[in-house]
Amino acid sequence: MHIYRAHIIDTPTPKAFRIIPNGYVAVADNGIIDGVYDTLPESLSQAPLTDLGDRLLIPAFCDMHIHAPQYPNMGIAMDLELLPWLNTYTFPQEARYADFDYAQRMYSRFVHSLWLQGSLHSAIFATIHAPATLCLADLLDKAGLSAFVGLVTMDRNCPPTLCHSADEAISDTLALIQHLQGNSRVKPIITPRFIPTCSPDMLTRLGQIAAEQHIPVQSHLSENKGEIEWVKQLEPQSRHYGDAYDRYGLMGQTPTLMAHCCMSSSEEQELLRQRGVMMVHCPSSNLNIATHTAPIRHYMDTGQRLALGSDVSGGHTPSMMQVMLYAIQVSKLYYTQSEGQTPFLKLSEVFWMATRSAGSFFGQVGCLQQGYTFDALVIDDRRLHGSEYSLDQRLERFVYTGDDRDIIHRFCCGNALPEPDCQ
Amino acid sequence: MHIYRAHIIDTPTPKAFRIIPNGYVAVADNGIIDGVYDTLPESLSQAPLTDLGDRLLIPAFCDMHIHAPQYPNMGIAMDLELLPWLNTYTFPQEARYADFDYAQRMYSRFVHSLWLQGSLHSAIFATIHAPATLCLADLLDKAGLSAFVGLVTMDRNCPPTLCHSADEAISDTLALIQHLQGNSRVKPIITPRFIPTCSPDMLTRLGQIAAEQHIPVQSHLSENKGEIEWVKQLEPQSRHYGDAYDRYGLMGQTPTLMAHCCMSSSEEQELLRQRGVMMVHCPSSNLNIATHTAPIRHYMDTGQRLALGSDVSGGHTPSMMQVMLYAIQVSKLYYTQSEGQTPFLKLSEVFWMATRSAGSFFGQVGCLQQGYTFDALVIDDRRLHGSEYSLDQRLERFVYTGDDRDIIHRFCCGNALPEPDCQ
């Protein structure tokens, strides 16, 4: 057992922050939180204690949609919308991961960035390249991070340099699953890129693997008008884009993440909700790629399961704090357009999405409560004059004006994470 | 004469970046740029030279709308729209500047922040408090920054703690003008807060001072629906909000900044354009305060004079790089809504707004060209792996993903600025 003392802040529910000034978290040797207290129980008075002083202790962030190979493109190529952006900038960049040395170097930077930003849990798209994807998984593992890693599959409508056969896609997916067998932190996730680049044969077989091996699924859904139209042409028998995934067993038959859902029809929304699919809202990416933004207040009110994603490099920042702000700001556009009828998101709601709600995809993750794994960030906000503010204001100022400089310790699954190598 | 060697990047026009790899800037002893060269002329071969190596040299940023007293509120109080936000959070905060010691401490932080962010030119709202405002001006001067500083005037519809009489407003405004007489970098600007808090008598007298002493003017215009309705009631004889300022000689009779202009009617737009009033677009603030965002592409196309403002603390960030991004992102909303008919802003266009276009308010400022004052930032982008990218990509990545850590030197009016004190 080990005790940490700090100002504890989290969001067990989206309604409000739970704040325990000078509280105590008791962490068992297996990394699970044994108890959280405002005064230390007598029974724990002999346990070793780390006093973090006037620091904030918050849950680590979950980035539920990020493209690792696009990390080098972060902050460039912001002048096209989705489909031409993919063809002009993104596919050529991803094709470079056929070069293992390049992949290793860039993925070490990517993993370092997750660590730096406190995104200790993530759901990651790699590329079609198996050696590079295994390397990414190994780097995540070595860094002590928790992640779902997907070998991206695409066998149609993509450049020859970034196209594999369905056979290759399946065998490489199986190899990744095999490679991560028994790993409790880094896990495989079935990752068809999106319907336009995936043949019915490949989707069918991916759905079979998901079902047989109980592997989760991630993909993109209803991000952009042009994309939705394209899916209609490619899958005329489907009632909507989401239905196309569903027909192949890739829509909640196992735990599923669907990024964007910006323009989901009510029928599609209903399917997502029924299936408990986690919608991953990527507001910074939606703004950058000039996509219609998602009606997240409506999704919250109708009981959708929600998370946030940086969507690097459609998103220009890997910071989940920035992504939270964009989520609030985008929701304020709906507030303005509705003449104040649609309430905007509160900070506690987006924080909950980035921690407690997203965390449920990993198990008991995203909260500093008994039974949850100890996944936490220690915030030193002296740079932001934290001591002059109330604790709720300190959290708010950290999210709105802080950055990685203010995160001084990172814990994942109970372990303090040292800074990983970065080439 | 002193020579600086670096990769020179600026925007003489909004259309594109001008990039001179390994170029030379020759700065005369008076701080004015004597010449810019891709190879050093023989005549300058003996002049002292600072080789900045593989760094970028860019114009310093201009933050054309920022509220210094609201700096401590940055990143908090983001849950209300304009008028209740003013009354609940902002006015009580500003009232604290009656306390000179508090003002001195907070203004030292504010000035440090401008320096840190490379916002070496700015147009600043202070409060109604004369001693605090003179202190702010002195701190700016001591730091070597260039700024217009306004004593905010408000004599109606405001809390008693933040209300002065028209007589006081006028005499304190005159005292500030007197205090800054002969200062070439820190200058006074007449600053009625906005029509709702300013009586006709006070506005009349402010307009007279502007005209008699050739002092520029700054205020707020057409930010929010509720505000515009209120102005209609208060000034029924005015054709529109802008006309209300105009009737008092506060709309371009001297150089004028009008922040926001989110909902300006075509008649108001025409008045702004005719008068050469500089519209200050504050996109991050508009999103935070849930204001209708401004149609900046339309304003560019119709020849409005444009600048950008952080509008701290309606804006949550003092970084003009972040503000540039928000300007692009907000313009993409118009692109999306217009089904691609309204082009979004390019990076060179928002960079031009934040440097060359805004800089014109200060004189020959905002460009690294002959005849301009040497106002520049030196960017070391090794943290962003700059050397692996082209120069235009390096600039783009700095703006999208960099921050104050990457600014290693700051020059204003030819002088290298050391880090100012921060209490």
Side-chain angles (χ1 to χ4, degrees), chain A residues 72 74-75 77-78 81 109 225 287-288 290 326 329 332 335-336 339 385 388-389 396-397 404-405, chain B residues 72 74-75 77-78 81 109 225 287-288 290 326 329 332 335-336 339 385 388-389 396-397 404-405:
Chain A
M74 194 172 75
M78 287 294 166
E81 58 176 281
R109 293 183 190 172
K225 212 167 172 177
L287 289 174
N288 289 330
Y326 277 107
Q329 290 161 338
K332 284 179 176 171
Y335 171 88
T336 309
E339 304 273 342
H385 306 283
E388 300 174 23
Y389 294 83
E396 194 176 357
R397 271 171 63 84
D404 59 89
R405 281 173 278 195
Chain B
M74 195 172 74
M78 287 293 166
E81 59 176 280
R109 294 182 190 173
K225 211 166 172 175
L287 289 173
N288 289 331
Y326 277 108
Q329 290 162 338
K332 284 179 176 172
Y335 170 87
T336 308
E339 305 274 342
H385 305 284
E388 300 174 24
Y389 294 82
E396 194 176 356
R397 272 171 63 84
D404 59 88
R405 282 174 278 195

Side-chain angles (χ1 to χ4, degrees), chain B residues 1-5 8 20-27 35-50:
Chain B
M1 193 78 75
H2 195 96
I3 316 292
Y4 297 93
R5 181 176 186 273
I8 300 163
I20 307 176
N22 298 304
Y24 298 85
V25 181
V27 181
V36 179
Y37 312 97
D38 47 12
T39 52
L40 194 64
E42 182 55 33
S43 60
L44 292 173
S45 62
Q46 298 307 311
L49 181 146
T50 301

Side-chain angles (χ1 to χ4, degrees), chain B residues 289-300:
Chain B
I289 310 290
T291 298
H292 187 82
T293 56
I296 294 299
R297 167 60 66 197
H298 171 69
Y299 290 164
M300 273 204 85

